[in-house]
Amino acid sequence: LFTYSALIVWVYFAQAVSQSANSIVGDSSLITKVYFPRIIIPLTPVLSGLVDFLVSFVVLLAMMLSFGMTPSPAALAIPLLALLMIFTACGTGMILAALNAKYRDIRYTIPFLMQFWMFATPIVYPASLVPERYRMIYALNPMTGVIEGFRAALLGTVPFPTDMVLLSLGVSLAMFLTGLTYFKQVERHFADVI
Protein backbone atom coordinates (compact mmCIF):
# COMPACT_ATOMS: atom_id res chain seq x y z
CA LEU A 1 0.00 0.00 0.00
CA PHE A 2 2.91 2.33 0.79
CA THR A 3 4.35 1.99 -2.71
CA TYR A 4 1.08 1.63 -4.60
CA SER A 5 -0.37 4.82 -3.11
CA ALA A 6 2.62 6.73 -4.51
CA LEU A 7 2.78 4.77 -7.73
CA ILE A 8 -0.74 5.62 -8.89
CA VAL A 9 0.06 9.32 -8.51
CA TRP A 10 3.40 8.97 -10.29
CA VAL A 11 2.08 6.87 -13.19
CA TYR A 12 -0.64 9.43 -13.84
CA PHE A 13 1.85 12.29 -13.71
CA ALA A 14 4.49 10.62 -15.90
CA GLN A 15 2.01 9.54 -18.57
CA ALA A 16 0.23 12.90 -18.61
CA VAL A 17 3.50 14.82 -18.97
CA SER A 18 4.92 12.48 -21.62
CA GLN A 19 1.76 12.53 -23.74
CA SER A 20 1.29 16.25 -23.27
CA ALA A 21 4.88 16.99 -24.27
CA ASN A 22 4.48 15.10 -27.55
CA SER A 23 0.95 16.33 -28.29
CA ILE A 24 1.78 19.43 -30.37
CA VAL A 25 4.13 17.57 -32.69
CA GLY A 26 1.78 14.60 -32.84
CA ASP A 27 -1.18 16.76 -33.89
CA SER A 28 0.74 18.92 -36.36
CA SER A 29 -1.74 18.35 -39.18
CA LEU A 30 -4.55 19.72 -37.03
CA ILE A 31 -2.54 22.80 -36.04
CA THR A 32 -1.68 23.77 -39.60
CA LYS A 33 -5.24 23.44 -40.95
CA VAL A 34 -7.66 24.84 -38.40
CA TYR A 35 -7.42 27.62 -35.85
CA PHE A 36 -8.60 26.84 -32.35
CA PRO A 37 -7.12 27.51 -28.90
CA ARG A 38 -3.87 25.53 -29.08
CA ILE A 39 -3.71 25.19 -25.30
CA ILE A 40 -6.35 22.46 -25.57
CA ILE A 41 -3.86 20.06 -27.17
CA PRO A 42 -1.40 19.67 -24.26
CA LEU A 43 -4.18 19.82 -21.66
CA THR A 44 -6.17 16.94 -23.20
CA PRO A 45 -3.77 14.12 -22.13
CA VAL A 46 -3.65 15.56 -18.62
CA LEU A 47 -7.43 15.48 -18.29
CA SER A 48 -7.99 12.17 -20.09
CA GLY A 49 -5.46 10.46 -17.81
CA LEU A 50 -7.72 11.17 -14.85
CA VAL A 51 -9.93 8.24 -15.85
CA ASP A 52 -7.04 5.80 -15.40
CA PHE A 53 -6.08 7.53 -12.17
CA LEU A 54 -9.60 7.15 -10.77
CA VAL A 55 -9.69 3.44 -11.65
CA SER A 56 -6.30 2.95 -9.95
CA PHE A 57 -7.54 4.92 -6.94
CA VAL A 58 -10.58 2.66 -6.58
CA VAL A 59 -8.26 -0.37 -6.70
CA LEU A 60 -6.17 1.25 -3.95
CA LEU A 61 -9.26 1.77 -1.80
CA ALA A 62 -10.24 -1.88 -2.35
CA MET A 63 -6.73 -2.99 -1.34
CA MET A 64 -6.93 -0.83 1.78
CA LEU A 65 -10.25 -2.41 2.75
CA SER A 66 -8.87 -5.91 2.17
CA PHE A 67 -5.98 -5.10 4.53
CA GLY A 68 -8.38 -3.67 7.10
CA MET A 69 -7.22 -0.06 6.70
CA THR A 70 -9.43 2.98 6.44
CA PRO A 71 -8.39 6.44 5.23
CA SER A 72 -7.45 8.92 7.93
CA PRO A 73 -9.48 12.12 8.51
CA ALA A 74 -6.85 13.92 6.41
CA ALA A 75 -8.40 12.14 3.39
CA LEU A 76 -10.52 15.25 2.92
CA ALA A 77 -7.37 16.82 1.44
CA ILE A 78 -7.22 14.28 -1.40
CA PRO A 79 -9.20 16.41 -3.90
CA LEU A 80 -6.83 19.32 -3.24
CA LEU A 81 -3.81 17.06 -3.63
CA ALA A 82 -5.25 15.72 -6.89
CA LEU A 83 -5.71 19.30 -8.10
CA LEU A 84 -2.10 20.03 -7.19
CA MET A 85 -1.05 16.93 -9.15
CA ILE A 86 -3.06 18.12 -12.18
CA PHE A 87 -1.60 21.64 -12.07
CA THR A 88 1.92 20.22 -11.90
CA ALA A 89 1.27 17.94 -14.88
CA CYS A 90 -0.32 20.80 -16.85
CA GLY A 91 2.54 23.20 -16.21
CA THR A 92 5.25 20.67 -17.01
CA GLY A 93 3.37 19.40 -20.05
CA MET A 94 2.83 22.89 -21.49
CA ILE A 95 6.50 23.82 -21.07
CA LEU A 96 7.72 20.59 -22.66
CA ALA A 97 5.12 20.71 -25.47
CA ALA A 98 6.17 24.23 -26.45
CA LEU A 99 9.85 23.31 -26.29
CA ASN A 100 9.25 20.11 -28.24
CA ALA A 101 7.50 22.01 -31.03
CA LYS A 102 10.49 24.30 -31.44
CA TYR A 103 13.34 21.91 -30.61
CA ARG A 104 12.48 18.41 -31.80
CA ASP A 105 15.27 16.72 -29.85
CA ILE A 106 13.44 17.45 -26.60
CA ARG A 107 11.24 14.39 -27.15
CA TYR A 108 14.27 12.13 -26.74
CA THR A 109 15.14 13.64 -23.37
CA ILE A 110 11.64 13.37 -21.89
CA PRO A 111 11.92 9.67 -20.87
CA PHE A 112 15.25 10.40 -19.15
CA LEU A 113 13.80 13.45 -17.44
CA MET A 114 10.83 11.46 -16.16
CA GLN A 115 13.08 8.64 -14.94
CA PHE A 116 15.35 11.04 -13.08
CA TRP A 117 12.34 12.84 -11.64
CA MET A 118 10.93 9.52 -10.44
CA PHE A 119 14.07 8.76 -8.45
CA ALA A 120 14.02 12.30 -7.03
CA THR A 121 10.47 11.71 -5.75
CA PRO A 122 9.63 9.60 -2.66
CA ILE A 123 7.88 6.73 -4.39
CA VAL A 124 9.68 3.63 -3.12
CA TYR A 125 11.15 5.36 -0.08
CA PRO A 126 9.67 7.77 2.48
CA ALA A 127 10.67 11.42 2.49
CA SER A 128 11.79 10.90 6.08
CA LEU A 129 14.97 9.28 4.68
CA VAL A 130 16.03 12.73 3.51
CA PRO A 131 17.86 14.55 6.34
CA GLU A 132 15.66 17.08 8.14
CA ARG A 133 17.76 20.09 7.11
CA TYR A 134 17.35 19.22 3.39
CA ARG A 135 13.68 18.30 3.47
CA MET A 136 12.33 21.71 2.45
CA ILE A 137 14.80 21.86 -0.45
CA TYR A 138 13.64 18.37 -1.36
CA ALA A 139 10.04 19.61 -1.28
CA LEU A 140 10.83 22.02 -4.12
CA ASN A 141 10.05 18.98 -6.25
CA PRO A 142 6.28 19.57 -6.43
CA MET A 143 5.52 15.85 -6.64
CA THR A 144 7.13 15.29 -3.23
CA GLY A 145 4.37 17.15 -1.41
CA VAL A 146 1.69 15.48 -3.51
CA ILE A 147 2.91 11.94 -2.90
CA GLU A 148 3.69 12.42 0.78
CA GLY A 149 0.30 14.10 1.18
CA PHE A 150 -1.50 11.19 -0.49
CA ARG A 151 0.29 8.71 1.76
CA ALA A 152 -0.47 10.66 4.91
CA ALA A 153 -4.11 11.20 3.93
CA LEU A 154 -4.79 7.62 2.93
CA LEU A 155 -2.57 5.51 5.13
CA GLY A 156 -2.22 7.80 8.14
CA THR A 157 1.21 6.36 8.94
CA VAL A 158 2.79 9.81 9.23
CA PRO A 159 1.38 13.22 10.14
CA PHE A 160 0.09 15.25 7.21
CA PRO A 161 3.09 17.14 5.71
CA THR A 162 1.50 20.59 5.57
CA ASP A 163 4.79 22.43 5.03
CA MET A 164 5.80 20.17 2.14
CA VAL A 165 2.38 20.43 0.53
CA LEU A 166 2.32 24.22 0.79
CA LEU A 167 5.81 24.51 -0.70
CA SER A 168 4.87 22.08 -3.45
CA LEU A 169 1.73 24.15 -4.07
CA GLY A 170 3.81 27.28 -4.57
CA VAL A 171 6.22 25.55 -6.95
CA SER A 172 3.37 23.87 -8.82
CA LEU A 173 1.49 27.14 -9.35
CA ALA A 174 4.72 28.82 -10.48
CA MET A 175 5.31 25.99 -12.97
CA PHE A 176 1.73 26.22 -14.22
CA LEU A 177 1.88 29.99 -14.72
CA THR A 178 5.31 29.73 -16.35
CA GLY A 179 4.07 26.99 -18.67
CA LEU A 180 0.93 28.91 -19.56
CA THR A 181 2.87 32.13 -20.23
CA TYR A 182 5.56 30.44 -22.29
CA PHE A 183 3.03 28.40 -24.26
CA LYS A 184 0.98 31.51 -25.08
CA GLN A 185 4.14 33.33 -26.26
CA VAL A 186 5.25 30.63 -28.67
CA GLU A 187 1.93 29.17 -29.84
CA ARG A 188 1.56 31.66 -32.70
CA HIS A 189 4.69 30.18 -34.30
CA PHE A 190 3.63 26.53 -34.06
CA ALA A 191 2.27 26.39 -37.61
CA ASP A 192 5.57 27.76 -38.93
CA VAL A 193 7.91 25.42 -37.07
CA ILE A 194 5.92 22.18 -37.27
Side-chain angles (χ1 to χ4, degrees):
L1 288 177
F2 176 84
T3 304
Y4 188 70
S5 62
L7 211 55
I8 63 170
V9 174
W10 180 258
V11 167
Y12 163 79
F13 176 75
Q15 287 181 345
V17 169
S18 297
Q19 291 172 4
S20 183
N22 293 314
S23 62
I24 296 293
V25 174
D27 292 330
S28 60
S29 59
L30 185 63
I31 289 174
T32 56
K33 291 182 180 155
V34 179
Y35 178 77
F36 60 95
R38 308 280 196 259
I39 195 79
I40 293 172
I41 294 175
L43 295 182
T44 301
V46 174
L47 297 176
S48 65
L50 287 173
V51 175
D52 291 338
F53 175 75
L54 289 174
V55 170
S56 300
F57 190 76
V58 168
V59 170
L60 174 65
L61 291 177
M63 287 173 61
M64 288 176 64
L65 289 175
S66 71
F67 283 109
M69 295 185 71
T70 56
S72 71
L76 296 173
I78 288 177
L80 297 175
L81 292 167
L83 198 58
L84 179 58
M85 172 184 71
I86 293 167
F87 271 110
T88 306
C90 286
T92 308
M94 285 187 291
I95 292 169
L96 291 175
L99 287 172
N100 193 21
K102 191 171 183 181
Y103 308 106
R104 296 297 170 85
D105 291 340
I106 294 290
R107 69 181 163 158
Y108 300 114
T109 63
I110 292 169
F112 297 110
L113 171 69
M114 297 314 294
Q115 182 119 23
F116 176 76
W117 201 338
M118 184 183 86
F119 289 120
T121 305
I123 296 170
V124 295
Y125 59 89
S128 59
L129 287 181
V130 176
E132 183 75 36
R133 63 180 179 265
Y134 298 120
R135 228 170 267 161
M136 284 300 122
I137 295 170
Y138 183 61
L140 289 174
N141 170 0
M143 291 308 291
T144 298
V146 173
I147 287 176
E148 284 295 304
F150 261 91
R151 276 191 184 132
L154 289 171
L155 307 179
T157 54
V158 293
F160 192 79
T162 307
D163 294 342
M164 271 189 182
V165 171
L166 290 176
L167 186 57
S168 293
L169 174 66
V171 173
S172 176
L173 289 177
M175 284 176 68
F176 180 78
L177 293 175
T178 302
L180 186 62
T181 304
Y182 181 64
F183 192 89
K184 288 292 185 185
Q185 285 177 351
V186 299
E187 78 172 326
R188 66 181 81 101
H189 304 293
F190 284 162
D192 300 332
V193 296
I194 288 185

